[in-house]
Amino acid sequence: MAKKTKKIETPIDQRETFVSIQKSFADSDLSVEEKLKTLYALQQADTEIDKILQLRGELPVEVENLENEIAALKAKAAGISARIDEATKSIAEYKHNIVDYNAQIDKYKSQLDNVANSREYDSLNKELENLDLLCQIAQKNIDETKADIASRKTDLEALKEKTEVKNEDLKAKKQELETIVESTSREEEKLRAGRDACAAKIDARTMSAYERIRNSCHNHLAVVSVFNGDSCGGCFNTIPPQRLIDIASNRKMIVCEYCGRILVNPDFE
């Protein structure tokens, strides 16, 4: 009994185009004609989905950018609030220090009445001068910190106002996007189901080439029909007569020699 020869699968090269898979295109459970029709139906579904996405325009990107901007504003506001809290704690510490300094001042002043000699008197006066200076420094720090807090609160208020404006913009754009999505969701769902059904019939190598060509073209057309009887529907260059006959036969994959797209029978439309 003859053994079945196991087919060796060649790894898919992401640089492959329809030109490089022409020889292996017919090697499938589907006939060439059915495969071409499936590819064309896949392209038609993708084109209609592109139109729906184009209808949404830049709204999804704008919504995402606004969300990121609002998150950044909130993070900045949170940072300012944290610094205000730290500054408020610093003021409390400075005030506490002033109370301690005043207590020590009162203590040293009471000792001045009972000094035994001029040396002790000078020493106490020196301590009083230092404590008074420390009180002045602490009060200066309090005043500067209060001014800093006032400035930060102004910045915080400006950030809150800016965030509110951005939130209003985001709300409006989300509503606009939701309206468009809602009006096209059923059609898109139907198209994607049809697209998935077509893609399931196509082998991985052909799908890889299809996606590559589609992504490299400005109009995202990888499979086109003959235009105006003798031209490529993608680049509009004239197709030689023999190739037109081959295209009409539906028996082989014909690729445009100018743009690399698959050319299919206009009857498929």
Side-chain angles (χ1 to χ4, degrees), residues 63-125:
V63 167
E64 184 181 357
N65 288 342
L66 276 170
E67 287 175 338
N68 292 337
E69 195 171 345
I70 289 169
L73 288 171
K74 287 181 177 179
K76 190 174 181 180
I80 291 175
S81 295
R83 285 191 285 273
I84 288 173
D85 290 341
E86 289 174 5
T88 303
K89 289 178 182 177
S90 296
I91 288 175
E93 289 177 6
Y94 293 140
K95 286 182 177 180
H96 179 73
N97 290 340
I98 289 174
V99 171
D100 286 345
Y101 298 148
N102 285 328
Q104 292 181 58
I105 287 171
D106 291 339
K107 176 185 173 184
Y108 288 136
K109 280 183 177 179
S110 65
Q111 290 179 5
L112 281 174
D113 297 331
N114 301 309
V115 292
N117 51 58
S118 59
R119 183 177 177 183
E120 187 179 351
Y121 180 84
D122 291 341
S123 177
L124 286 171
N125 273 324

Side-chain angles (χ1 to χ4, degrees):
M1 184 177 176
K3 291 184 179 180
K4 278 189 176 182
T5 305
K6 188 177 180 181
K7 184 180 175 182
I8 299 174
E9 293 290 341
T10 308
I12 297 173
D13 188 342
Q14 296 302 319
R15 296 169 298 177
E16 281 183 331
T17 63
F18 292 134
V19 175
S20 58
I21 64 169
Q22 273 181 299
K23 289 183 179 179
S24 61
F25 184 75
D27 188 12
S28 169
D29 294 335
L30 293 176
S31 67
V32 171
E33 182 176 356
E34 189 62 30
K35 200 168 184 180
L36 289 170
K37 284 181 177 179
T38 303
L39 272 171
Y40 188 67
L42 175 67
Q43 177 65 77
Q44 293 299 97
D46 276 335
T47 299
E48 292 304 313
I49 291 170
D50 286 345
K51 287 179 182 178
I52 290 173
L53 297 179
Q54 191 174 15
L55 182 64
R56 295 172 191 170
E58 296 296 318
L59 278 174
V61 176
E62 288 175 8
V63 167
E64 184 181 357
N65 288 342
L66 276 170
E67 287 175 338
N68 292 337
E69 195 171 345
I70 289 169
L73 288 171
K74 287 181 177 179
K76 190 174 181 180
I80 291 175
S81 295
R83 285 191 285 273
I84 288 173
D85 290 341
E86 289 174 5
T88 303
K89 289 178 182 177
S90 296
I91 288 175
E93 289 177 6
Y94 293 140
K95 286 182 177 180
H96 179 73
N97 290 340
I98 289 174
V99 171
D100 286 345
Y101 298 148
N102 285 328
Q104 292 181 58
I105 287 171
D106 291 339
K107 176 185 173 184
Y108 288 136
K109 280 183 177 179
S110 65
Q111 290 179 5
L112 281 174
D113 297 331
N114 301 309
V115 292
N117 51 58
S118 59
R119 183 177 177 183
E120 187 179 351
Y121 180 84
D122 291 341
S123 177
L124 286 171
N125 273 324
K126 187 66 175 176
E127 289 295 335
L128 286 170
E129 287 177 8
N130 289 337
L131 287 168
D132 184 60
L133 181 60
L134 289 173
C135 282
Q136 291 179 40
I137 293 171
Q139 187 58 52
K140 182 183 177 184
N141 288 336
I142 289 172
D143 294 340
E144 289 177 350
T145 306
K146 282 182 177 180
D148 183 57
I149 288 174
S151 175
R152 291 188 186 278
K153 283 184 176 180
T154 301
D155 292 342
L156 189 60
E157 193 60 34
L159 277 174
K160 285 181 179 178
E161 289 176 5
K162 190 175 181 180
T163 303
E164 286 174 6
V165 172
K166 295 292 181 183
N167 274 322
E168 288 299 317
D169 288 346
L170 178 61
K171 184 180 178 182
K173 289 192 181 294
K174 273 188 171 181
Q175 285 178 344
E176 187 180 352
L177 180 59
E178 285 170 7
T179 300
I180 295 173
V181 170
E182 187 177 350
S183 66
T184 57
S185 59
R186 288 185 180 179
E187 184 183 357
E188 184 181 0
E189 187 178 346
K190 183 179 178 182
L191 286 168
R192 290 195 181 279
R195 184 203 189 279
D196 291 343
C198 290
K201 296 178 183 178
I202 306 298
D203 63 275
R205 174 162 273 103
T206 302
M207 276 301 297
S208 176
Y210 169 81
E211 294 291 359
R212 185 175 184 279
I213 297 295
R214 215 175 96 77
N215 292 332
S216 66
C217 298
H218 71 280
N219 56 9
H220 303 302
L221 295 176
V223 183
V224 295
S225 63
V226 176
F227 175 74
N228 203 25
D230 65 351
S231 302
C232 169
C235 66
F236 305 108
N237 280 296
T238 303
I239 304 168
Q242 182 55 50
R243 282 181 172 267
L244 288 172
I245 294 171
D246 291 335
I247 292 167
S249 72
N250 302 324
R251 292 179 181 176
K252 62 170 77 171
M253 178 203 286
I254 302 299
V255 178
C256 176
E257 60 187 23
Y258 298 101
C259 65
R261 295 176 172 93
I262 287 182
L263 295 164
V264 299
N265 195 323
D267 291 344
F268 288 0
E269 295 181 16

